[in-house]
Amino acid sequence: MAENSSEIRYLNPPAIDVKKEKYCRFKKNRIKYIDFKDPDFLLQFVNEQGKLLPRRITGTSLKYQRKVSQAVKRARHLGLMPYVADLLK
Amino acid sequence: MINHYETVFIVTPVLSAEQAKETVEKFKKMLQENEAKIVNEEHWGLKKLAYPIQKKSTGFYQLFQYEAEGDFIAKLELAFKRDERIMRFLTVKLDKHAVEYAKKRIEKRKSSAKAEK
């Protein structure tokens, strides 16, 4: 009686340790050019303070991460995106 | 060597509407004089800036996409620097992916404009 109460069994196991496979969204949907003119697309690669997200979080490949960072910097130069922000999202 | 370029610049909001238009015309004329072929031209109108530039928080955005000689760009940027009505400008050379993206973007804007009418 005591041991099954301690060993909790779930109907479907909670997905805590299973790693979701990260992929580069630019390679997957074959996006070739990242436009610096539409900030709402670029907001996905920037955290709440307006800083660029690292590759380990977004999972983008090196080639496209450079294009993203260049596009974000150009958008910032043109005032389309802030250099420093709070609760941007 | 003819390259594809795209220039976006911001005109100060202090000007009246026709002064802003006149500034845009000035640069458009300059482009045409130097046999630069204007492929696309967009006016985004008065937009809010993400941070104050020259103590102003809004600006008229204007975009020119054109084909021009390489050495023409230095002259154009000098003119931008000299004109104090321009708050900020950015000239970008377009590679083949960018040109293809721009073409798709033009059609998308045309179809959306048509849909609005």
Side-chain angles (χ1 to χ4, degrees), chain B residues 31-116:
Chain B
L31 277 170
Q32 275 144 5
E33 272 150 24
N34 295 271
E35 81 275 345
K37 194 167 80 65
I38 296 182
V39 175
N40 178 26
E41 184 191 331
E42 281 170 27
H43 186 63
W44 301 343
L46 198 66
K47 265 180 85 137
K48 210 176 157 338
L49 301 175
Y51 54 90
I53 299 176
Q54 293 175 8
K55 311 285 189 300
K56 298 177 183 59
S57 66
T58 56
F60 291 105
Y61 278 77
Q62 175 68 29
L63 171 113
F64 280 126
Q65 190 198 336
Y66 51 95
E67 288 165 18
E69 284 290 327
D71 51 15
F72 165 68
I73 298 301
K75 271 188 287 194
L76 180 73
E77 300 230 316
L78 193 63
F80 273 127
K81 276 199 200 83
R82 288 229 171 92
D83 191 332
E84 77 278 356
R85 291 168 297 192
I86 306 284
M87 278 200 297
R88 194 148 290 184
F89 60 92
L90 177 72
T91 306
V92 163
K93 183 176 173 185
L94 301 179
D95 57 6
K96 60 183 185 311
H97 301 305
V99 171
E100 185 198 307
Y101 174 86
K103 235 187 252 86
K104 273 207 290 286
R105 184 184 143 93
I106 296 167
E107 275 115 29
K108 214 183 316 160
R109 281 180 76 95
K110 265 208 194 74
S111 59
S112 66
K114 219 180 269 103
E116 269 151 36

